[in-house]
Amino acid sequence: IRPVGGGEAVPVLGGKTGGADIVPRDFPIIFIPETSPFAIGVAGGARADQIFYLAPTEALAAGKPEWKIVSTLDDKVQGVMVRGSDLLQLTNKANGAGEIVHRSVAADGTPGVGKTVFAGKDGLILTNLAYGKDGAYVTAQTDGVARIFYSKTGTGGFTEIKLPFEGDIFNFT
């Protein structure tokens, strides 16, 4: 990043910067959700699963992030979202239809132990997740038709939001 006031650019993600070991074939990507004090670092590539990291946004803005690992490729995680100190991840490691795992995040960005809060099943394939200011949203498909589920807290109790017609959802963030 380059400081807003000018000056030299500082590497903040890529290589082994700040503890994030990203190999040259992967693309370093940073998301800064407005719903959380944490930035999400991604080692992205041409695959469904990605490597995810977290760091406090304040440390990132100062050019000194200390990235904490959220998931490796072995975890089969397709997406991560944070709101406050709550982290949700979409994985299909233990469930081919996908599951949403909730983890609490420590102040330094270290994620805690995960707990499945919503699971796909035969006829319900989880496809994406997002945090809004009002809660957590998960998209899914049944026979190619999109469905949306909502939880106020993201820690469970997902209920379906009925859509007005059948179709697909693209670029759900």
Side-chain angles (χ1 to χ4, degrees), residues 127-139:
T127 57
N128 207 346
L129 71 156
Y131 260 128
K133 291 181 180 179
D134 62 336
Y137 295 85
V138 174
T139 58

Side-chain angles (χ1 to χ4, degrees), residues 31-55:
F31 295 100
I32 302 175
E34 64 181 65
T35 58
S36 178
F38 300 102
I40 302 169
V42 184
R47 57 184 177 263
D49 308 324
Q50 308 298 331
I51 301 169
F52 290 94
Y53 300 91
L54 280 183

